[in-house]
Amino acid sequence: MGVKYKSVAKKNPRNAEDIKYYIQQVRNETIGRREFEVAIIEKTALSKAEARGVLVTIADVIREELLRGNAVKLEDLGTFSLRLKSEGAETPEEVTANKLKNVSVGYRPSGELVESIQKIKLEKTE
């Protein structure tokens, strides 16, 4: 079974008459916490409660470490870190916390994960 995709028309923002077609993934579904727990249970000797505890703990630890200003690197998965966006300032002295516009969580996949997804098989759908 492969990853399903469809073709999608997109206009050139500079020339509305210039249309090209691109691949867009068709997602089957979004796996939630419960489905994730079941997958962990099937692959390990953990109970449902233990699997849930592991997932909650992982989320808690990642959140706590990001709030401490640390990045979290899970070798097989990737690295989570904070991304800060701010307004520009004319001098270094003018750079203060008040210039902060947005904080988000960044994710950089591991080389191993990137390598494995490069091998996907595609199936065209309508």
Side-chain angles (χ1 to χ4, degrees), residues 107-119:
Y107 169 70
R108 188 174 46 251
S110 69
E112 181 180 318
L113 180 59
V114 170
E115 228 176 83
S116 66
I117 62 173
Q118 295 299 319
K119 299 173 186 172

PDB file of all heavy atoms in Angstrom, residues 107-119:
ATOM      1  N   TYR A 107      10.277  21.495  14.547  1.00  0.00           N
ATOM      2  CA  TYR A 107      10.617  20.067  14.489  1.00  0.00           C
ATOM      3  C   TYR A 107      11.514  19.836  13.291  1.00  0.00           C
ATOM      4  O   TYR A 107      11.200  20.253  12.179  1.00  0.00           O
ATOM      5  CB  TYR A 107       9.345  19.216  14.361  1.00  0.00           C
ATOM      6  CG  TYR A 107       9.637  17.776  14.034  1.00  0.00           C
ATOM      7  CD1 TYR A 107      10.224  16.935  14.969  1.00  0.00           C
ATOM      8  CD2 TYR A 107       9.370  17.269  12.773  1.00  0.00           C
ATOM      9  CE1 TYR A 107      10.519  15.622  14.661  1.00  0.00           C
ATOM     10  CE2 TYR A 107       9.647  15.957  12.457  1.00  0.00           C
ATOM     11  CZ  TYR A 107      10.226  15.127  13.399  1.00  0.00           C
ATOM     12  OH  TYR A 107      10.518  13.831  13.089  1.00  0.00           O
ATOM     13  N   ARG A 108      12.654  19.191  13.520  1.00  0.00           N
ATOM     14  CA  ARG A 108      13.580  18.826  12.453  1.00  0.00           C
ATOM     15  C   ARG A 108      13.722  17.310  12.480  1.00  0.00           C
ATOM     16  O   ARG A 108      14.233  16.747  13.455  1.00  0.00           O
ATOM     17  CB  ARG A 108      14.926  19.510  12.662  1.00  0.00           C
ATOM     18  CG  ARG A 108      15.887  19.346  11.511  1.00  0.00           C
ATOM     19  CD  ARG A 108      17.173  20.156  11.655  1.00  0.00           C
ATOM     20  NE  ARG A 108      17.776  20.068  12.967  1.00  0.00           N
ATOM     21  CZ  ARG A 108      17.814  21.059  13.866  1.00  0.00           C
ATOM     22  NH1 ARG A 108      17.269  22.215  13.615  1.00  0.00           N
ATOM     23  NH2 ARG A 108      18.409  20.895  15.027  1.00  0.00           N
ATOM     24  N   PRO A 109      13.241  16.616  11.459  1.00  0.00           N
ATOM     25  CA  PRO A 109      13.293  15.152  11.472  1.00  0.00           C
ATOM     26  C   PRO A 109      14.731  14.633  11.448  1.00  0.00           C
ATOM     27  O   PRO A 109      15.634  15.281  10.919  1.00  0.00           O
ATOM     28  CB  PRO A 109      12.546  14.752  10.197  1.00  0.00           C
ATOM     29  CG  PRO A 109      12.613  15.940   9.321  1.00  0.00           C
ATOM     30  CD  PRO A 109      12.696  17.142  10.210  1.00  0.00           C
ATOM     31  N   SER A 110      14.918  13.444  12.007  1.00  0.00           N
ATOM     32  CA  SER A 110      16.236  12.814  12.007  1.00  0.00           C
ATOM     33  C   SER A 110      16.593  12.361  10.593  1.00  0.00           C
ATOM     34  O   SER A 110      15.712  12.155   9.749  1.00  0.00           O
ATOM     35  CB  SER A 110      16.243  11.602  12.938  1.00  0.00           C
ATOM     36  OG  SER A 110      15.436  10.562  12.390  1.00  0.00           O
ATOM     37  N   GLY A 111      17.869  12.187  10.349  1.00  0.00           N
ATOM     38  CA  GLY A 111      18.324  11.692   9.047  1.00  0.00           C
ATOM     39  C   GLY A 111      17.733  10.329   8.732  1.00  0.00           C
ATOM     40  O   GLY A 111      17.352  10.045   7.597  1.00  0.00           O
ATOM     41  N   GLU A 112      17.628   9.487   9.749  1.00  0.00           N
ATOM     42  CA  GLU A 112      17.062   8.148   9.575  1.00  0.00           C
ATOM     43  C   GLU A 112      15.603   8.218   9.133  1.00  0.00           C
ATOM     44  O   GLU A 112      15.179   7.503   8.232  1.00  0.00           O
ATOM     45  CB  GLU A 112      17.171   7.384  10.898  1.00  0.00           C
ATOM     46  CG  GLU A 112      16.650   5.971  10.847  1.00  0.00           C
ATOM     47  CD  GLU A 112      16.796   5.270  12.187  1.00  0.00           C
ATOM     48  OE1 GLU A 112      17.842   5.431  12.838  1.00  0.00           O
ATOM     49  OE2 GLU A 112      15.847   4.565  12.571  1.00  0.00           O
ATOM     50  N   LEU A 113      14.827   9.114   9.747  1.00  0.00           N
ATOM     51  CA  LEU A 113      13.423   9.262   9.379  1.00  0.00           C
ATOM     52  C   LEU A 113      13.302   9.806   7.955  1.00  0.00           C
ATOM     53  O   LEU A 113      12.515   9.301   7.149  1.00  0.00           O
ATOM     54  CB  LEU A 113      12.703  10.183  10.366  1.00  0.00           C
ATOM     55  CG  LEU A 113      11.222  10.442  10.104  1.00  0.00           C
ATOM     56  CD1 LEU A 113      10.433   9.140  10.096  1.00  0.00           C
ATOM     57  CD2 LEU A 113      10.659  11.395  11.140  1.00  0.00           C
ATOM     58  N   VAL A 114      14.098  10.803   7.635  1.00  0.00           N
ATOM     59  CA  VAL A 114      14.072  11.385   6.289  1.00  0.00           C
ATOM     60  C   VAL A 114      14.412  10.323   5.249  1.00  0.00           C
ATOM     61  O   VAL A 114      13.753  10.204   4.214  1.00  0.00           O
ATOM     62  CB  VAL A 114      15.030  12.589   6.188  1.00  0.00           C
ATOM     63  CG1 VAL A 114      15.199  13.041   4.745  1.00  0.00           C
ATOM     64  CG2 VAL A 114      14.550  13.732   7.059  1.00  0.00           C
ATOM     65  N   GLU A 115      15.430   9.529   5.541  1.00  0.00           N
ATOM     66  CA  GLU A 115      15.851   8.461   4.625  1.00  0.00           C
ATOM     67  C   GLU A 115      14.717   7.467   4.384  1.00  0.00           C
ATOM     68  O   GLU A 115      14.466   7.059   3.247  1.00  0.00           O
ATOM     69  CB  GLU A 115      17.041   7.721   5.237  1.00  0.00           C
ATOM     70  CG  GLU A 115      18.186   7.518   4.284  1.00  0.00           C
ATOM     71  CD  GLU A 115      19.358   6.875   5.002  1.00  0.00           C
ATOM     72  OE1 GLU A 115      19.352   5.628   5.132  1.00  0.00           O
ATOM     73  OE2 GLU A 115      20.261   7.618   5.429  1.00  0.00           O
ATOM     74  N   SER A 116      14.030   7.080   5.450  1.00  0.00           N
ATOM     75  CA  SER A 116      12.969   6.083   5.306  1.00  0.00           C
ATOM     76  C   SER A 116      11.774   6.619   4.533  1.00  0.00           C
ATOM     77  O   SER A 116      11.167   5.893   3.750  1.00  0.00           O
ATOM     78  CB  SER A 116      12.539   5.541   6.670  1.00  0.00           C
ATOM     79  OG  SER A 116      11.925   6.544   7.440  1.00  0.00           O
ATOM     80  N   ILE A 117      11.421   7.899   4.702  1.00  0.00           N
ATOM     81  CA  ILE A 117      10.254   8.416   3.977  1.00  0.00           C
ATOM     82  C   ILE A 117      10.574   8.721   2.516  1.00  0.00           C
ATOM     83  O   ILE A 117       9.658   8.854   1.709  1.00  0.00           O
ATOM     84  CB  ILE A 117       9.624   9.646   4.667  1.00  0.00           C
ATOM     85  CG1 ILE A 117      10.590  10.806   4.727  1.00  0.00           C
ATOM     86  CG2 ILE A 117       9.118   9.283   6.047  1.00  0.00           C
ATOM     87  CD1 ILE A 117       9.962  12.087   5.234  1.00  0.00           C
ATOM     88  N   GLN A 118      11.867   8.803   2.169  1.00  0.00           N
ATOM     89  CA  GLN A 118      12.233   9.011   0.770  1.00  0.00           C
ATOM     90  C   GLN A 118      11.889   7.793  -0.081  1.00  0.00           C
ATOM     91  O   GLN A 118      11.833   7.873  -1.298  1.00  0.00           O
ATOM     92  CB  GLN A 118      13.731   9.318   0.642  1.00  0.00           C
ATOM     93  CG  GLN A 118      14.154  10.629   1.283  1.00  0.00           C
ATOM     94  CD  GLN A 118      13.471  11.832   0.677  1.00  0.00           C
ATOM     95  OE1 GLN A 118      13.298  11.925  -0.527  1.00  0.00           O
ATOM     96  NE2 GLN A 118      13.068  12.757   1.531  1.00  0.00           N
ATOM     97  N   LYS A 119      11.618   6.677   0.574  1.00  0.00           N
ATOM     98  CA  LYS A 119      11.343   5.417  -0.126  1.00  0.00           C
ATOM     99  C   LYS A 119       9.851   5.155  -0.296  1.00  0.00           C
ATOM    100  O   LYS A 119       9.450   4.034  -0.589  1.00  0.00           O
ATOM    101  CB  LYS A 119      11.983   4.266   0.641  1.00  0.00           C
ATOM    102  CG  LYS A 119      13.486   4.393   0.746  1.00  0.00           C
ATOM    103  CD  LYS A 119      14.070   3.326   1.645  1.00  0.00           C
ATOM    104  CE  LYS A 119      15.557   3.585   1.847  1.00  0.00           C
ATOM    105  NZ  LYS A 119      16.138   2.700   2.850  1.00  0.00           N
TER     106      LYS A 119
END
